[in-house]
Amino acid sequence: MENATIPVDRTAQDRLFINGEWSEAANGKRFETLNPATGEVLAEVAEGDAADIDSAVSAARAAFRTDTWRRMDAADRGALLWRMADIIEQRADVLARIEVLDNGKPIREAKIDIRQSIDALRYYAGWTTKLHGATIPVRGNLLNYTLREPVGVVGAIIPWNFPLLMAVWKIAPALACGNTIVLKPAEQTPLSALELAAIGAEAGLPNGVFNVVTGFGETAGAALVAHPDVDKIAFTGSTAVGRIIMRAAAGSLKKISLELGGKSPNIVLADADVGAAARGAFSAIFYNTGQCCTAGSRLLVHESVRDELLSGLVDRAGKMQPGDPLDSKTRFGPLISQEQLDRVLGYVEKGRAEGAQLVAGGSRAQYEGEDRGFWLQPTVFDGVQPDHVIAKEEIFGPVLSVLSFSDEDEALALANASEYGLAAGVWTQDVKKAHRFARDLEAGTVWINTYHPGDAASPFGGYKQSGFGRELGEYSLDLYTQIKSVWVDLN
Ligand code: ADP
């Protein structure tokens, strides 16, 4: 791999960022973060735990109580968010490199994350001056109006698959609404969150408004959820941890929003443009090496187009070779960790054992001629049955389960037969069918003749066990504000 070191002009430290200062963890411990492409140690960061979370929450509470942040002129708060976006734009190359080295994703995809992070900051910068209440025509000689106020101290817990972007999806609306934040990035990918903290400080965020505590989920993450002085938890991650968080938040009745897992159906009807559907199905599952909560991991295909679609997919999968993630031509990266590789390989074994036909991949892929790093070949199983484990459980890796159907009611029933409901895709040239499926699918996002587009202005979130609350768009403002009703006697 070409020069796999963290860029030297990196401004952030490898320590915790609390109250505007870099500090070691109170326990003095540190942990390593690896480069998934090579399996080598990339950096060490501070291993924060409950004591550091407590300091960060105190700093966030103190910053929330002062007038410098929540009563800052809204236009100035917007300008500050815009400045953060500008700095990210200036440092896009360094940030992209950090993200590639820490997460393993190809630089082409890291640049898309950074573009979208900039867009989200600018989108919410615009909202700061548009957050207002209402005057309400109540009975009697009374004036009634509402105030839209920040929730307070927000604990943000994010995953490793889109480290910078997931941080920004929470930070941008939370700051726009005047909250203060303690962010706990995933232990596998702590580096870009630290960089974001440095960028916030440089842009002029007051001390304590945005704090970052790196550390593990069971310690730092759990302490943040349990902390009595945190008003809200915004979480993106697995459904299993989402359940733990919901239970733990009950103790202090915190507000929570959960963006969780998926097992998203991608449906190809008989009248689809099969070439476009094959390309779309490929990116639906293999983008970010399948480590997307929205991954189109169940391909439901009409039996009349199955052979043609499958041959297109298998052809493409065979051509995907591991490449240096820092090379702009590389299209496919490693999994995040050995643990994730073992988990995904476990699902490949289950698929075989249950009788699905492996038609592409299925084994570790070699990188630079060796079994180094956490690479897996793009994998496709045909003949998957609805009761197979690989048709039901979220794999979170480059493994596609293909199921066939013979009529559209069957396709819809198969698509909705899941505990998840994050996203779905439909490929058809019939406009009526497209909209009927969009109406009837139980999912927070439906893509028609495409897969994966997203925008800071468009809401994102899950039905069923994929979570609740909508991030992005104006909907996210509801997660980070609360409404006060004010009554005035006019007699
Ligand atoms: P994944 O399976 O994708 O690693 P997780 O849901 O395990 O996703 O992790 C997402 C985030 O949740 C990470 O930042 C992780 O540290 C954190 N986390 C894991 N366990 C807990 C927990 N018990 N309490 C709070 N946060 C947790």
Side-chain angles (χ1 to χ4, degrees), residues 274-322:
V274 179
R279 287 191 296 281
F282 190 84
S283 119
I285 182 63
F286 295 125
Y287 190 80
N288 212 39
T289 318
Q291 304 170 119
C292 298
C293 44
T294 51
S297 53
R298 287 189 294 150
L299 181 62
L300 311 183
V301 50
H302 191 271
E303 57 196 11
S304 65
V305 291
R306 178 178 148 274
D307 290 351
E308 186 185 349
L309 185 81
L310 213 61
S311 83
L313 260 172
V314 169
D315 246 24
R316 281 173 163 264
K319 289 186 190 129
M320 292 288 268
Q321 293 303 324

Side-chain angles (χ1 to χ4, degrees), residues 185-218:
E187 48 271 43
Q188 297 86 349
T189 53
L191 300 180
S192 53
L194 295 169
E195 197 68 28
L196 191 61
I199 287 168
E202 191 178 330
L205 287 179
N207 290 344
V209 166
F210 174 28
N211 308 276
V212 178
V213 177
T214 50
F216 291 89
E218 297 73 12

Side-chain angles (χ1 to χ4, degrees), residues 99 231 413:
E99 208 73 330
D231 298 295

Side-chain angles (χ1 to χ4, degrees), residues 13 111 118 156 188 198 201 252 258 329 333 345-346 348 351:
Q13 316 297 312
K111 285 184 175 166
I118 294 167
Q188 297 86 349
S252 53
L258 303 174
K329 291 193 287 301
L345 281 168
V348 173

